[in-house]
Amino acid sequence: MACLHDHACEDHDCAADWSLYKHVDLSKDIVAGGKGLFLGWFWVKMACTGAAKELFGMLLRGWASKCSSRVSALNEAVPGSVKLVFKAWEQRLNSSEGHLESNDGDPELLVFIPFTSDVKIKSISVVGGADGTSPCKMRAFINRDGIDFSDAQSMQPIQEWDLAENSQGMLEYQTRYSRFQGVASLTLHFPENFGGETTQICYIGLKGEATQLKRDVVATIVYEITPNPSDHKTKADSGAGFSHVE
């Protein structure tokens, strides 16, 4: 079901309603944290106990999982451009910094949206491109990480919509709200458009509210858990002939 904003959005504070973009995980890869974990793991293998090695292995796997849980899109022509479509309501028609576009001749897009906190989603708004490049269908999956095109085509979505061309960003598509509670991640499948060679998306808006915050354990303890060689004995200290790691 689509709702048309037939009112002055400023008077109804629509910008505040569409603020879930602030909870989309748009953060960059943890480069510094990754380096710290790698060096720490190497040192632990050289100097620490089996329990420490097991703990660091768990942290390393968690870090790898975290790095893969950023917002992303399959079949995007420009890697990382999906991040540009999540912005404030008043910026929904501003595509000066770029937009999400599928590869030429293949209009299908799959957008994975993880959140920094669990959210409840009431409505979704999509502003597409011109000349038939706007998506005409949208299918939603919640809390299903790692979905690819084959999965999206064969799985039953939690809800799907026929979209209209929404060049002014005034249409919103209501969810079955009771099903969109406790959403940690949302995957949106756009299987086709209105006849264009590519699919373009300038804005994805999410109306709802955030709930309990999640804690990024890996990112916050990387540097605290990395051992300090000066605090522990190494083989070199005991005369075994290995120097410390620079």
Side-chain angles (χ1 to χ4, degrees):
M1 178 180 179
C3 175
L4 181 64
H5 288 228
D6 55 354
H7 56 250
C9 290
E10 294 78 9
D11 296 340
H12 287 75
D13 200 16
C14 285
D17 290 340
W18 295 91
S19 61
L20 279 187
Y21 73 94
K22 297 177 181 178
H23 298 275
V24 175
D25 192 347
L26 299 173
S27 54
K28 297 178 180 179
D29 293 339
I30 314 174
V31 176
K35 182 179 180 182
L37 275 171
F38 176 78
L39 292 176
W41 174 246
F42 182 80
W43 189 86
V44 166
K45 285 178 69 70
M46 297 297 301
C48 283
T49 65
K53 292 179 184 178
E54 183 177 349
L55 173 61
F56 238 92
M58 179 182 69
L59 288 173
L60 192 60
R61 289 190 295 272
W63 169 78
S65 174
K66 182 65 181 175
C67 282
S68 65
S69 65
R70 303 295 186 267
V71 65
S72 59
L74 296 184
N75 197 37
E76 60 180 336
V78 178
S81 59
V82 64
K83 295 181 179 181
L84 301 174
V85 307
F86 298 99
K87 50 195 169 185
W89 167 261
E90 57 269 23
Q91 294 296 317
R92 67 193 184 282
L93 303 183
N94 181 4
S95 57
S96 59
E97 294 186 4
H99 56 266
L100 172 62
E101 185 170 11
S102 68
N103 284 298
D104 192 37
D106 185 357
E108 194 171 13
L109 282 169
L110 190 65
V111 179
F112 173 63
I113 311 165
F115 298 96
T116 56
S117 63
D118 287 352
V119 300
K120 303 175 182 179
I121 302 174
K122 298 178 181 178
S123 300
I124 302 172
S125 180
V126 178
V127 177
D131 302 321
T133 62
S134 181
C136 66
K137 291 184 181 296
M138 177 171 67
R139 309 170 75 240
F141 306 87
I142 64 171
N143 302 338
R144 298 296 297 267
D145 297 0
I147 294 177
D148 59 20
F149 284 119
S150 177
D151 297 325
Q153 291 161 0
S154 61
M155 291 168 53
Q156 181 67 33
I158 194 167
Q159 191 171 350
E160 56 187 315
W161 301 262
D162 289 325
L163 305 183
E165 292 182 283
N166 185 29
S167 60
Q168 296 303 308
M170 302 306 289
L171 284 174
E172 64 181 80
Y173 298 89
Q174 297 174 0
T175 67
R176 298 188 183 104
Y177 189 51
S178 62
R179 298 186 181 184
F180 285 77
Q181 309 287 307
V183 180
S185 68
L186 172 69
T187 301
L188 296 178
H189 180 214
F190 301 98
E192 53 190 286
N193 60 22
F194 287 93
E197 286 295 312
T198 65
T199 292
Q200 295 181 10
I201 297 176
C202 302
Y203 171 78
I204 295 177
L206 302 167
K207 178 191 285 189
E209 59 185 284
T211 57
Q212 184 177 0
L213 288 176
K214 299 176 182 177
R215 297 192 180 275
D216 184 355
V217 177
V218 173
T220 56
I221 69 175
V222 163
Y223 292 105
E224 295 177 13
I225 199 67
T226 302
N228 183 350
S230 64
D231 296 335
H232 302 269
K233 281 191 174 184
T234 66
K235 292 185 179 181
D237 298 327
S238 58
F242 246 68
S243 61
H244 67 281
V245 177
E246 295 292 342

